[in-house]
Amino acid sequence: MCWKKEGRVLIVAVFLFTCAVYLVQDFRSQQLVNKLQPYSGTLIFHTGAVIDGDSLRGFAVLEDRTVVYARHRLSSAEQKLQLESLVDDSIFQVSGVFEQPSSPSHRYSFDMSKYLRHNGANSLLVIQSIDGVTENDTWKNRLLSRREALKHHIREHFPESLVAEAEALLIGERENMDPEDQRVYQTLGISHLFAISGLHVGIASGLLYGILVRLHVRKEMALVILLVVLPLYAVLAGGAPSVWRAVSMVCAVLVGKLFGFRLPIASIMLTSVIIFILWNPYVLYKIGFQLSYGATFGIIYSLKFLSEIRSAIKTGFVLTFISQVTLYPLLLFHFYELSLSAFVVNSLFVPLFTLLVLPANFLLLFLTFLSQPVADVVFNGYEPLRGLIDQFMNRLAALPYQLWNPGKPTLFIVFLLAASVYLFYCAAERKFQFSQLLILVVPALLFTAVPYVDPRLKVTFLDIGQGDSAVIELPFRQAVYLVDSGGLLRFDTEAFKEKKRPYEIGRQVVAPYLKGNGISSIDVFVLSHPDADHAEGADEIFELFPVKELHLTPGSATNALMLQLAPYTKQTNIVFPGAGSNWGVADTQFSYFSPTDATYEGNNDSLVLFMKTGDYRVLFTGDLEAAGEKALVETYSSELAGLTVLKVGHHGSKTSSSEEFLTLLNPAVSIFSTGVDNRYGHPSPEVVDRFDELELDTLNTAENGTIRLLYNKGELKLETMR
């Protein structure tokens, strides 16, 4: 590769051009100013605006061409139904207020400010009222209306079990895919099969071309028809970067075939990169753009190697290997983990989707337009077969040790990993030898080993809003403990307000922090007590991580929340520790100071965990209140006096943090775990005043974000997100 004359000059030129555009665009996006004033004027939503529950949200353009992210709270089911038919092809007259985007919970959680910048916007507009609506009649909207019509046709004429897959495969609509199914696809590394890309465009082109030829359409005219239809299909399919990449490259090949010349495929790919970057520089930030062109780059520049393989099965395996290896630095950067089974599973499922699933969906869509009774007959045979494939997928996904989770690499590490991939290809193309795999494996193993050579004891209090969740990482990754998982109070609500995918603390805040740090399993999961703001997110943790041991406060097993959790804990050792229970790992000791009986009655029966290593001592109090604090003072005064870190009980409620307790502990730093503007008023002003009067330093996750304490050789370092 590196010695190819064409590749060296062209690749370097495109790389430098891409970097220059990226830097200019990044600088421009940083210059966008957050508006704080009210707004009244027109607004047009971009394609992809979502109505979910009682919320309308999406990117939009204002009358001065400013791009914003707009949100509107729907007031009724009638308004929701009305806006669903208007949002994609209307100009709205709105009144609203610009807001600053909220800060991310931690470095691995969703960052709204970055999301806005990467889409050419840096403002949030909260729409307070919609004052008028006019039709936005453009050719693009008319085409998009056909997409909506096609979506509704699929929902009306396909069996319910096949609708989500058909929408994803045929029109690029993944909104209705079941989260559990998506988790299975991610575990197996086959999520890309459900996103329209080169595979789908190639099959669609081949089917249409074959039909046209069978209808005795001249080949030249068939090519012209394809050149017209494919861009229209790209719009109908949602216009994702991967779709346009595939369509543009196929169209370039068709043009060459139509006019009798042949363009080098590498030149076509690199030219399309330049065109798309000039058209929309923000496309550089799109994960689909990066992965689509990354995989294509790896395959194109391995064609010489692939041409020497004579076995179709081996070719399929090598193609999968090339795609996965080429993309793995990017996959780690964006998702923090990689499916190891993908190297084998894709060799099975890519042909299965190519030869069966994709053609079947195109055929069934055609039959539903042609004759629904005939389509129903085919559905009766295909639906059970598709069910068997799903069962097979689920069994495969249930196998252990499929995901490699080393954590999120820095940009420098991404560059080093990508360099190792390039060097491997250069060596393998000359003459492949299994020993060359060390070029890939050694850097990956070194990156994976980083946490296991880190001597620091890490305690992290996560910013999860109103609730508790803390992560303990012992030195050299000897063990990982999770203390509470946060959660939300769920209230009965009107049907139209129910979201398809409710916000989940465990999945969207706690899990990304663990995965981003390369944590793939939990040794001990402590649920201090079964309140929703401490334990509601636990089921999501069990879905995503193997947990060796679960600690529950005695007597809480029959609590409603714990009964809901029970099905997820079948593979976990459940323990009900009480005061006096203890264990140790190397120099770090853990003890429970509460509760003292086996009857769960509320906050004062919270599991109170005490951690000690040398002079460094941390107390996790759950929702302990004054009566429970008094019992600790009477029993454990010598261990608690002069504490290093206190996780303040009950989020700083006025029923906790008594003066006697704080005076004895005299903690060097105290952590309030609360939500911004929470309904309970935590921490209580009188409790805050008490800490101030005693001259005790405090931090609050609502103000400081996620708080991390790093301890090593008697020195304590403190880091905050904000």
Side-chain angles (χ1 to χ4, degrees):
M1 291 167 58
C2 63
W3 58 85
K4 291 180 180 179
K5 182 178 180 181
E6 171 206 77
R8 181 170 54 196
V9 176
L10 200 55
I11 291 173
V12 170
V14 172
F15 176 76
L16 293 176
F17 170 80
T18 302
C19 289
V21 173
Y22 174 86
L23 291 173
V24 170
Q25 194 60 47
D26 192 58
F27 175 78
R28 285 180 57 197
S29 65
Q30 296 288 348
Q31 303 306 304
L32 294 173
V33 179
N34 280 303
K35 300 181 178 181
L36 300 177
Q37 71 273 19
Y39 174 77
S40 180
T42 61
L43 176 146
I44 302 174
F45 279 101
H46 286 179
T47 304
V50 174
I51 296 179
D52 187 15
D54 62 345
S55 173
L56 163 62
R57 63 186 186 274
F59 286 99
V61 60
L62 305 182
E63 58 187 22
D64 63 356
R65 310 311 298 171
T66 300
V67 177
V68 299
Y69 189 83
R71 296 189 302 211
H72 179 55
R73 185 72 65 186
L74 307 178
S75 58
S76 66
E78 291 74 21
Q79 186 190 27
K80 179 178 180 178
L81 188 63
Q82 181 186 31
L83 285 177
E84 284 177 338
S85 63
L86 295 173
V87 66
D88 289 325
D89 54 5
S90 299
I91 301 173
F92 295 92
Q93 185 73 31
V94 303
S95 299
V97 179
F98 290 101
E99 285 187 354
Q100 292 276 2
S102 58
S103 300
S105 299
H106 50 75
R107 68 188 68 185
Y108 307 112
S109 64
F110 177 72
D111 187 338
M112 189 64 181
S113 295
K114 184 183 293 184
Y115 179 63
L116 295 180
R117 291 199 308 271
H118 289 183
N119 285 274
N122 204 17
S123 296
L124 277 174
L125 176 65
V126 177
I127 300 173
Q128 298 172 322
S129 66
I130 297 177
D131 306 315
V133 182
T134 57
E135 185 180 5
N136 185 26
D137 187 17
T138 65
W139 69 268
K140 185 177 180 181
N141 283 339
R142 287 196 293 271
L143 190 57
L144 288 174
S145 68
R146 295 298 89 206
R147 182 174 191 264
E148 286 299 311
L150 191 57
K151 184 194 302 184
H152 289 301
H153 177 86
I154 291 172
R155 293 178 181 178
E156 290 176 3
H157 295 86
F158 274 59
E160 185 177 354
S161 64
L162 299 177
V163 167
E165 178 181 271
E167 288 181 349
L169 294 177
L170 298 174
I171 59 173
E173 177 60 70
R174 304 178 68 175
E175 178 186 349
N176 292 316
M177 292 189 71
D178 184 81
E180 179 60 23
D181 289 340
Q182 292 192 50
R183 186 188 65 80
V184 169
Y185 304 150
Q186 289 167 1
T187 300
L188 297 176
I190 58 174
S191 297
H192 63 95
L193 293 177
F194 297 87
I196 296 178
S197 60
L199 176 67
H200 303 69
V201 173
I203 290 175
S205 302
L207 287 174
L208 179 57
Y209 183 78
I211 291 172
L212 292 172
V213 171
R214 290 283 183 180
L215 294 174
H216 304 291
V217 176
R218 292 176 58 240
K219 291 183 178 180
E220 292 78 6
M221 181 55 66
L223 293 176
V224 172
I225 293 173
L226 280 174
L227 287 171
V228 174
V229 169
L230 286 178
L232 297 178
Y233 176 66
V235 177
L236 285 173
S242 59
V243 180
W244 280 114
R245 190 272 307 164
V247 167
S248 64
M249 293 185 67
V250 170
C251 286
V253 172
L254 293 178
V255 169
K257 190 172 183 179
L258 185 63
F259 291 100
F261 62 87
R262 184 176 180 181
L263 296 172
I265 192 66
S267 299
I268 294 174
M269 182 196 71
L270 294 171
T271 302
S272 69
V273 169
I274 294 174
I275 292 173
F276 281 120
I277 291 173
L278 289 174
W279 177 33
N280 178 18
Y282 293 106
V283 77
L284 281 168
Y285 295 110
K286 303 291 185 182
I287 298 174
F289 178 86
Q290 297 171 16
L291 298 181
S292 179
Y293 276 102
T296 306
F297 176 89
I299 292 171
I300 287 176
Y301 283 91
S302 301
L303 288 177
K304 178 183 176 182
F305 178 70
L306 289 167
S307 66
E308 298 174 357
I309 302 174
R310 299 290 175 254
S311 167
I313 296 177
K314 187 176 179 181
T315 299
F317 178 81
V318 172
L319 276 172
T320 299
F321 179 85
I322 290 171
S323 298
Q324 295 295 317
V325 167
T326 302
L327 296 178
Y328 98 86
L330 278 174
L331 291 170
L332 290 183
F333 183 76
H334 290 297
F335 306 111
Y336 322 144
E337 61 187 3
L338 185 70
S339 171
L340 297 177
S341 59
F343 291 91
V344 176
V345 171
N346 271 277
S347 299
L348 170 64
F349 282 103
V350 169
L352 182 64
F353 270 71
T354 303
L355 300 175
L356 174 64
V357 177
L358 262 174
N361 276 274
F362 280 115
L363 174 63
L364 287 165
L365 179 64
F366 175 73
L367 289 177
T368 57
F369 282 106
L370 185 66
S371 172
Q372 187 63 43
V374 174
D376 290 337
V377 172
V378 180
F379 279 131
N380 289 335
Y382 178 72
E383 188 176 13
L385 177 60
R386 191 63 188 85
L388 291 174
I389 295 173
D390 276 340
Q391 291 179 26
F392 180 55
M393 286 182 179
N394 290 329
R395 289 182 181 179
L396 283 179
L399 297 175
Y401 310 116
Q402 295 194 63
L403 293 174
W404 170 46
N405 174 218
K408 182 176 182 176
T410 63
L411 286 174
F412 178 69
I413 297 297
V414 170
F415 176 79
L416 292 181
L417 296 177
S420 72
V421 171
Y422 183 74
L423 291 175
F424 166 75
Y425 283 154
C426 290
E429 191 177 43
R430 286 172 173 160
K431 185 178 181 181
F432 174 73
Q433 298 177 353
F434 281 100
S435 60
Q436 294 166 350
L437 291 173
L438 291 174
I439 301 174
L440 295 172
V441 173
V442 170
L445 290 178
L446 290 175
F447 172 54
T448 304
V450 170
Y452 298 92
V453 297
D454 189 342
R456 298 174 296 177
L457 171 61
K458 306 171 187 175
V459 179
T460 305
F461 297 92
L462 295 175
D463 174 21
I464 58 162
Q466 183 61 28
D468 268 13
S469 186
V471 181
I472 302 171
E473 301 172 62
L474 296 187
F476 307 108
R477 193 56 67 80
Q478 295 165 307
V480 174
Y481 304 147
L482 177 63
V483 183
D484 288 329
S485 58
L488 298 174
L489 291 171
R490 308 287 183 183
F491 301 101
D492 291 336
T493 185
E494 297 175 72
F496 86 93
K497 293 182 179 181
E498 294 180 0
K499 297 184 181 297
K500 295 176 183 176
R501 297 183 184 179
Y503 184 72
E504 298 176 318
I505 296 292
R507 192 182 307 277
Q508 292 170 260
V509 180
V510 181
Y513 182 83
L514 297 173
K515 290 181 179 292
N517 278 288
I519 296 171
S520 55
S521 64
I522 298 169
D523 294 280
V524 177
F525 186 3
V526 179
L527 288 177
S528 63
H529 64 298
D531 277 2
D533 58 342
H534 292 251
E536 191 265 344
D539 57 338
E540 299 138 33
I541 299 301
F542 275 96
E543 286 180 344
L544 297 171
F545 300 90
V547 178
K548 296 179 183 177
E549 204 166 272
L550 174 64
H551 290 190
L552 301 176
T553 185
S556 66
T558 56
N559 179 275
L561 195 59
M562 294 299 98
L563 291 175
Q564 293 176 15
L565 181 63
Y568 299 92
T569 63
K570 294 178 181 178
Q571 305 300 319
T572 301
N573 181 33
I574 301 177
V575 180
F576 296 91
S581 301
N582 62 81
W583 75 96
V585 179
D587 297 328
T588 307
Q589 301 298 314
F590 295 88
S591 303
Y592 283 110
F593 287 174
S594 177
T596 57
D597 58 49
T599 302
Y600 178 71
E601 296 176 325
N603 289 340
N604 280 321
D605 289 315
S606 295
L607 286 173
V608 175
L609 179 63
F610 178 72
M611 183 186 79
K612 178 180 179 181
T613 179
D615 294 330
Y616 180 52
R617 291 169 296 158
V618 183
L619 187 67
F620 302 87
T621 57
D623 273 356
L624 198 69
E625 298 183 336
E629 294 172 351
K630 183 176 179 62
L632 292 188
V633 169
E634 293 173 351
T635 310
Y636 299 103
S637 58
S638 59
E639 290 93 334
L640 294 174
L643 192 71
T644 312
V645 180
L646 169 67
K647 199 294 295 182
V648 178
H650 203 184
H651 322 287
S653 165
K654 62 182 179 181
T655 60
S656 304
S657 304
S658 63
E659 185 173 353
E660 178 188 16
F661 185 64
L662 296 180
T663 301
L664 170 67
L665 269 59
N666 191 31
V669 62
S670 300
I671 310 295
F672 291 104
S673 184
T674 70
V676 177
D677 298 326
N678 64 85
R679 67 173 66 190
Y680 309 101
H682 293 159
S684 168
E686 62 188 77
V687 170
V688 174
D689 290 342
R690 192 174 301 145
F691 275 90
D692 291 340
E693 290 169 3
L694 295 172
E695 298 182 346
L696 299 176
D697 292 334
T698 62
L699 293 170
N700 191 338
T701 56
E703 300 168 358
N704 303 105
T706 291
I707 301 164
R708 189 164 76 147
L709 304 169
L710 308 171
Y711 178 80
N712 185 33
K713 297 180 180 179
E715 294 185 3
L716 181 62
K717 181 181 178 182
L718 189 147
E719 297 177 349
T720 61
M721 185 69 197
R722 297 191 283 273

